[in-house]
Amino acid sequence: MGSGKRSLTTVTMALACACACACAVLAASGPAYASPTPTPTSTRTTSPDLTLPPTSTPTSVSNKELEAVRTKLDTLYHSAAVATDAYNAAEEKVKEQSAQIVGLAREIVEGQERLDDLKDLAGAAARAQYRSGGLTPEAQLWLSEDPQEFLDGAGRVRQGEHATEGLLAEMTRTQQDLEQYAKDASAQWTKLESNREAKDEAKKKVKQQIAAAEKLESQLEAAEKARLAKLEEEAAYQAQTNWLNSGVTLGGGETSAQGKKAVAYATAQIGKAYEWGAEGPKTYDCSGLTSQAWASAGDGIPRTSQEQWKQLTRVDIKDMRPGDLIIYFDDASHVAMYIGDGAMVHAPRPGRTVTIAGAGSMPILGVVRPDA
C-alpha cells in the first residue's frame, strides 16, 4: 500500500463510483499525488429551497437543475452530519455523567452506613463514660481500694477518651464527605439534564435535515435519480483527480500492527448501511465506523469526528499511512479511514452504505493518527 502507485486507486475508485471514465483515468500508470491540506470550505448551514422549479416535471429536469439539487442535498446532509456529531457528543456525556451519578450514589450509601456505625460506637463510648459515674479522676482515686487498679483504669479511660475524640472527628469528616457527594451528584444531575436536552435538540435537527433531503429526492423519478447519482460520482471523481494531481506525493510509511487491524475491521463493514448515531455492528455513522475500527484494534479513541480531530495526534498528508483518519470540512463533521494509495473507507451519509472512495473526494481538514 505504501508504493504510491495508482494501481490500487484504480480498484478502489472502481468500487466506489463504478464510473467508466473514472476507471480509465485512475488506471493510468504513474505515481499518485496528494495535495497539501486544501483550504477549508465554509460550513454550510443555511436551509435551501426544498422544491424543484414549479414548471419542471420529473422528465424535464435539466442537468443544471439536477446540479442545483445535488448542491442542496450536499448542504442538507452536511447539516445532518453536524447535528449527528452534536448528538453523539451529547450521548457520550450523558453516559459519562450517568456513570458518575451512580458512583456518587454508591459513595453516599457507603458513607451513610459508615456514619451510622460511627454513631453507634460513639454512643457506646458515651454510655460507658456515664456508667463510670462522671466522677473526677481525683475523687475516683480517693475512693479506690486499689490505687494501681485505679491507675490502670485511668489509663484505659484516657485511651477511651482519645478513641471517642477520634470517632467524633471521623464522624465529622464522614458527614462532610456525604454533603460533598450530595452537592457533586446534584451538579452532575444538572449537567446530565442539560446534555439530554442538547441530545434531543440535535436528534430533532438530524431528522429535520434528513427528511428535507428525502423530500427533495422524492420529487425525482428513477431516471433523474440515476442522473443525479452520476453527477455525484463525477463531482467526487473530479475532486479526487484534482487532489491526486496537485503535486504532493502520498506518504509510504509502514502501517502499524494496530493500523492493519483497524483497516481490516473497517473494510469488513463495506456494504453495511449508514445510520446516524450508530456504531455497529449492523449500521454505522462516519465516526461510529472509525471509533469501532480502532476499538477492535485495542486502541480506544473519541467517539465523534470533532473530538478525534481535537484529541488525536495530527500528521501531514504526505506522511499519511493506512489506519490514519482523514477529517473533512472546516467543522470536522466527517471522518474516514485511509487505506492506502489515495483511497479511504467511510460511512458517507443516510441512504448510502460503507464504501471505498477517493481520499480527496471531499475537502480535507487534516489527518490524525490514533496510535502515534
Side-chain angles (χ1 to χ4, degrees), residues 267-328:
T267 53
Q269 312 313 308
I270 289 173
K272 293 184 178 181
Y274 177 102
E275 181 182 3
W276 66 270
E279 46 189 334
K282 294 182 179 180
T283 57
Y284 296 88
D285 62 21
C286 66
S287 58
L289 177 66
T290 55
S291 61
Q292 288 303 303
W294 272 99
S296 75
D299 195 348
I301 63 173
R303 169 66 175 87
T304 69
S305 58
Q306 292 178 345
E307 289 304 310
Q308 289 169 6
W309 173 241
K310 288 178 184 177
Q311 297 184 35
L312 301 180
T313 301
R314 299 180 186 183
V315 296
D316 290 336
I317 288 179
K318 63 182 178 63
D319 299 321
M320 186 166 57
R321 69 188 188 193
D324 288 347
L325 305 182
I326 308 173
I327 309 296
Y328 293 97

Side-chain angles (χ1 to χ4, degrees), residues 150-309:
F150 165 76
L151 292 174
D152 292 342
R156 287 193 294 272
V157 169
R158 283 196 297 272
Q159 291 174 0
E161 289 174 346
H162 290 316
T164 301
E165 290 173 0
L167 282 173
L168 293 174
E170 188 171 353
M171 284 174 60
T172 300
R173 287 195 299 271
T174 303
Q175 186 67 50
Q176 290 172 344
D177 288 344
L178 284 171
E179 291 173 0
Q180 188 59 51
Y181 292 151
K183 288 179 182 177
D184 291 346
S186 178
Q188 289 301 328
W189 186 263
T190 300
K191 290 180 181 178
L192 177 64
E193 288 302 302
S194 175
N195 280 303
R196 278 177 176 162
E197 291 175 5
K199 177 182 165 184
D200 290 342
E201 184 61 29
K203 181 177 182 179
K204 191 183 302 181
K205 279 187 179 179
V206 175
K207 288 187 173 183
Q208 286 174 344
Q209 298 302 314
I210 293 176
E214 289 173 346
K215 177 181 177 183
L216 183 57
E217 287 183 291
S218 71
Q219 298 176 61
L220 302 172
E221 290 190 348
E224 278 64 46
K225 288 180 180 178
R227 287 167 57 202
L228 179 62
K230 183 73 170 177
L231 285 174
E232 290 177 351
E233 291 171 2
E234 290 174 353
Y237 167 71
Q238 188 58 54
Q240 174 74 353
T241 300
N242 294 341
W243 184 68
L244 290 173
N245 293 331
S246 61
V248 178
T249 304
L250 288 170
E254 184 177 352
T255 309
S256 67
Q258 283 182 301
K260 290 177 182 177
K261 290 179 182 178
V263 168
Y265 180 97
T267 53
Q269 312 313 308
I270 289 173
K272 293 184 178 181
Y274 177 102
E275 181 182 3
W276 66 270
E279 46 189 334
K282 294 182 179 180
T283 57
Y284 296 88
D285 62 21
C286 66
S287 58
L289 177 66
T290 55
S291 61
Q292 288 303 303
W294 272 99
S296 75
D299 195 348
I301 63 173
R303 169 66 175 87
T304 69
S305 58
Q306 292 178 345
E307 289 304 310
Q308 289 169 6
W309 173 241

Side-chain angles (χ1 to χ4, degrees), residues 47-52 72 76 208 211-213 215-217 219:
S47 298
D49 177 18
L50 301 181
T51 58
L52 293 172
K72 291 176 183 179
L76 289 167
Q208 286 174 344
K215 177 181 177 183
L216 183 57
E217 287 183 291
Q219 298 176 61

